[in-house]
Amino acid sequence: MPEQESISFTEARCPVPLSHNEKIVMGHGSGGKMSHDLIRRLFYRCFNNPILSVGDDAGVLDLENGGKLAFCTDSHTVLPLFFPGGDIGKLAVCGTVNDLAMVGAIPKALTTAFILEEGLDMTVLADVVASMQSAAEEAAVQIVAGDTKVVEKGKTDGMFISTSGIGVIPPGRNISGRNAQPGDIIILTGTMGDHGIAVLSARGQLGFESEVKSDVAPLAKMIEDVLRASSQVHVLRDPTRGGVATTLNEIAQQSNVGMVLQEGKLPIRPSVQAACEMLGFDALYLANEGKAIIIVGKEDAERVLEALSLSPYGKEAVIIGEVVKNPVRRVLMKTAYKSTRIVDMLAGEILPRIC
Amino acid sequence: MPEQESISFTEARCPVPLSHNEKIVMGHGSGGKMSHDLIRRLFYRCFNNPILSVGDDAGVLDLENGGKLAFCTDSHTVLPLFFPGGDIGKLAVCGTVNDLAMVGAIPKALTTAFILEEGLDMTVLADVVASMQSAAEEAAVQIVAGDTKVVEKGKTDGMFISTSGIGVIPPGRNISGRNAQPGDIIILTGTMGDHGIAVLSARGQLGFESEVKSDVAPLAKMIEDVLRASSQVHVLRDPTRGGVATTLNEIAQQSNVGMVLQEGKLPIRPSVQAACEMLGFDALYLANEGKAIIIVGKEDAERVLEALSLSPYGKEAVIIGEVVKNPVRRVLMKTAYKSTRIVDMLAGEILPRIC
């Protein structure tokens, strides 16, 4: 960085004590413990407001007419831009659509801001844009505003895309990571880790051939069908960066509950399992881009599974565990050998630039 | 870029014919002719929808209750991160607040997505975040959702910030670049080029000392006061990248009108004028981040100027010209020597990474 940056002209001061020795590291973008630490220490305290501090995938605003609006954003820095099953454009649109769906909103409109690298092939941009439009059409949203910046060669890897979205939450819905209750059932809508392994494969980092495709998909329609089938859905969350393990820990903290997972029930493709074993990864921590965790009152679990079975993105949905009382908000796993282990949040960073 | 990027896995195809020989260049991010060409050729055609194609600073959506919502986005890549009068955080919040104000919306909420460089001092991030919050408070908006990604050292210059915003447009308002009418008066709310020269100065590229500060400011309150003072405001637009000249050309094209400016009326600080003369810049093309162009029915021009005079950001507002009939949508300038010259859009790029 240029040395000017150490000269701050900013008069506003953040109420958070920080030392110059503390640096941003890749782990701050992992979605795991370090990301949460940064969010809690800096963003929640500086941007201090009750909407942000809920900690769900989108901020929920009360409209003057009594309705509710969801509003969310994500930047995308995935490398490479194209990978089996998707690309940065599809990822950007699906990620935003899914964040809206995860607070029970029906997505209405997106914006997109491109940071392009000087020298990028115009056809690469056109392919990404076409892919965004295709995903937007599937999700029944329009891209209503945008922005384009260009930075010097080397200052991105082709492009970064930031997308934001708004959606309308129908009256009476109250979906939040705060709402899990002891006795609730935890459903995962499909296999774990497909996206993470597909991106690694596209980078040539697997060291062997793999046919794993990213699961990147817009889930809004499937989620809407689930919410129409059951009024007992308490929590929705897509296990992206940090994977299923980190997402469940987030919910446990937000809701002040514990969880018990059944190891034998966790869905994983054999090819993903094989890649994980060779590379020493735990699929519980790998990113998914077309999956949801659904926490539902016990009596409606079957009803939700039935609704999911009608969607191409929910056919492999299974119950993976349940919510329990636990004052220290632990996520526990019953292993195949009947022992119990603690499933913690992701520490550090295992796969940078995955989304 | 890694070679994988030439292998597209995307099945969707853009309806725009492009050749592999065509590359993204810095001018595509200038806000001038090349930006407009990219937007018209690629984004409007691929994302094809009537809200985007209006071409205003924010997309305007009809709400189910008859209200209107404005939704906008911008990425910020300014270099350096801190400059006299502001920083990337203040710029991001003000840019988004102003884009909402320019369609007549009252800003309600923002989101922010950070792309951080590995190794960034945490105190630099904290200063930027504090500055964002300070600008958000002045503009009476909350930052309700966010995202953080981290990329490897060298892949940004400290950070990029993408902000998005939503605002509510009160019933009966119809502000758009399409609404300029022959006979309307063109008001500029203050001096030209302060932001551009302040950033150059912070880069050490002026070659001499300068006390010029960026004009970066949230204009929503001032604009709201103007709109309450007059119902004859037809167009609002902030002349950021590409400057006053490019912005007026945009409006002329959207409204199918011509414009005649009076060179002697164009407000410019002596220090900015001096810098422009030394560097060979025309201040008409320099970026402003705290100014608005207001096009208003002749009968209300004085009323608007009076409202502007009450704001710290509008004290130097002046009439710079008027809207005329012109089938070829030209912006003309009456010079001090009584001759007339054509004022075109910015061609190419004069100051990259200015916002």
Side-chain angles (χ1 to χ4, degrees), chain B residues 5 24 85 170 250 256 263 304 311:
Chain B
E5 284 168 20
I24 290 291
E250 282 172 13
N256 281 309
E263 189 171 41
V304 166
S311 165

Side-chain angles (χ1 to χ4, degrees), chain A residues 58-333:
Chain A
V60 176
L61 295 106
D62 291 316
L63 293 181
E64 275 139 29
N65 67 343
K68 284 181 178 180
L69 194 74
F71 187 17
C72 69
T73 195
D74 263 321
S75 279
H76 302 272
T77 63
V78 66
L79 197 67
L81 300 180
F82 300 92
F83 45 81
D87 58 81
I88 189 171
K90 184 174 184 181
L91 197 65
V93 168
C94 293
T96 301
V97 161
N98 293 350
D99 278 351
L100 293 172
M102 297 306 140
V103 294
I106 300 169
K108 290 292 175 192
L110 306 187
T111 61
T112 177
F114 295 95
I115 299 176
L116 304 176
E117 183 184 21
E118 183 185 19
L120 178 72
D121 264 345
M122 196 68 93
T123 52
V124 169
L125 177 60
D127 282 354
V128 168
V129 165
S131 179
M132 292 179 80
Q133 177 60 16
S134 169
E137 280 172 18
E138 184 182 343
V141 291
Q142 291 185 321
I143 296 170
V144 299
D147 180 51
T148 312
K149 296 290 192 299
V150 181
V151 294
E152 302 85 350
K153 199 159 177 60
K155 290 295 177 191
T156 72
D157 294 290
M159 72 183 81
F160 299 146
I161 303 179
S162 298
T163 38
S164 297
I166 55 175
V168 173
I169 302 177
R173 264 189 206 168
N174 177 18
I175 310 289
S176 168
R178 293 181 169 185
N179 296 351
Q181 293 166 21
D184 284 355
I185 295 298
I186 306 168
I187 292 170
L188 177 61
T189 61
T191 54
M192 299 187 301
D194 300 20
H195 178 72
I197 296 299
V199 173
L200 272 193
S201 162
R203 287 186 198 160
Q205 291 179 334
L206 282 187
F208 52 89
E209 291 283 310
S210 167
E211 288 181 355
V212 179
K213 281 190 177 182
S214 168
D215 56 343
V216 57
L219 302 179
K221 189 182 171 306
M222 176 180 84
I223 294 297
E224 189 57 29
D225 289 345
V226 165
L227 293 176
R228 286 185 186 173
S230 166
S231 60
Q232 295 305 309
V233 174
H234 298 151
V235 183
L236 295 165
R237 188 73 54 92
D238 53 340
T240 54
R241 283 180 296 175
V244 169
T246 302
T247 302
L248 290 176
N249 272 280
E250 283 172 12
I251 299 167
Q253 290 186 11
Q254 279 182 276
S255 292
N256 281 309
V257 294
M259 297 180 185
V260 178
L261 308 181
Q262 301 296 331
E263 188 170 46
K265 300 290 174 109
L266 290 167
I268 183 164
R269 292 190 200 292
S271 50
V272 171
Q273 183 65 43
C276 283
E277 281 169 12
M278 289 197 58
L279 298 163
F281 292 148
D282 184 342
L284 271 170
Y285 294 93
L286 292 184
N288 310 278
E289 294 291 344
K291 300 291 157 36
I293 287 166
I294 302 176
I295 298 183
V296 57
K298 197 169 202 148
E299 67 280 17
D300 271 13
E302 285 305 322
R303 198 188 289 261
V304 166
L305 286 171
E306 201 180 304
L308 288 170
S309 72
L310 301 175
S311 164
Y313 305 130
K315 285 191 186 307
E316 297 173 304
V318 288
I319 293 170
I320 60 168
E322 64 180 321
V323 179
V324 297
K325 274 193 192 167
N326 184 319
V328 291
R329 308 183 294 185
R330 283 230 167 94
V331 178
L332 299 171
M333 173 95 82

